[in-house]
């Protein structure tokens, strides 16, 4: 499995910004799909964003669209989640995920927590 290490979480005031990083190793990165999920206390894990290394296409959940963006750095084998205009409801443990599958046209598998590899998670707390 791919090894994933998240970083960048912390405490931030509502309206502020935070940038999460996920360093990946142990795979052919160009063929993988990378994702971000989050899980708030007492809630189910939910999809946040995903991208494919090869095409660079990015998929953003409706709940964060317009505020969050996902990007990649091929040289560093890393992906990032830029979170702007943070709200208290964004408070959660954020997980990086990787899967060897691509995203065929019309496929929605990436929105589900069915990735092959997961990071340990990083806590994001947004205070009001």
């Amino acid at each position: 499995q791919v090894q994933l290490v998240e970083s960048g979480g912390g405490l931030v005031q509502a309206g502020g910004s935070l940038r999460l990083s996920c360093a990946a190793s142990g795979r052919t990165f160009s063929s993988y799909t990378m994702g971000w999920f989050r899980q708030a206390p007492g809630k189910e894990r939910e999809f946040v964003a995903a991208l494919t290394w090869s095409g660079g296409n990015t998929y953003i959940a409706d709940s964060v669209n317009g505020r969050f963006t996902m990007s990649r750095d091929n040289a560093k084998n890393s992906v990032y989640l830029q979170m702007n205009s943070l709200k208290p409801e964004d408070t959660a443990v954020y997980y990086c995920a990787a899967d060897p599958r691509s995203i065929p046209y019309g496929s929605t598998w990436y929105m589900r927590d069915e990735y092959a590899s997961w990071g340990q998670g990083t806590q994001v707390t947004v205070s009001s």
Side-chain angles (χ1 to χ4, degrees), residues 57-127:
N57 297 321
T58 304
Y59 307 87
I60 307 295
D62 291 340
S63 60
V64 301
N65 192 28
R67 299 187 298 120
F68 291 10
T69 58
M70 187 176 180
S71 61
R72 71 190 194 278
D73 187 328
N74 294 342
K76 296 182 178 180
N77 292 331
S78 298
V79 296
Y80 308 93
L81 184 67
Q82 179 66 47
M83 305 183 294
N84 299 323
S85 301
L86 283 163
K87 305 174 182 179
E89 55 261 42
D90 294 319
T91 295
V93 176
Y94 283 71
Y95 297 91
C96 180
D99 196 278
R101 292 174 289 176
S102 62
I103 304 178
Y105 179 81
S107 178
T108 59
W109 71 264
Y110 63 91
M111 296 182 178
R112 300 183 290 274
D113 58 344
E114 300 175 349
Y115 288 64
S117 301
W118 295 85
Q120 82 288 348
T122 184
Q123 176 70 48
V124 172
T125 302
V126 183
S127 64

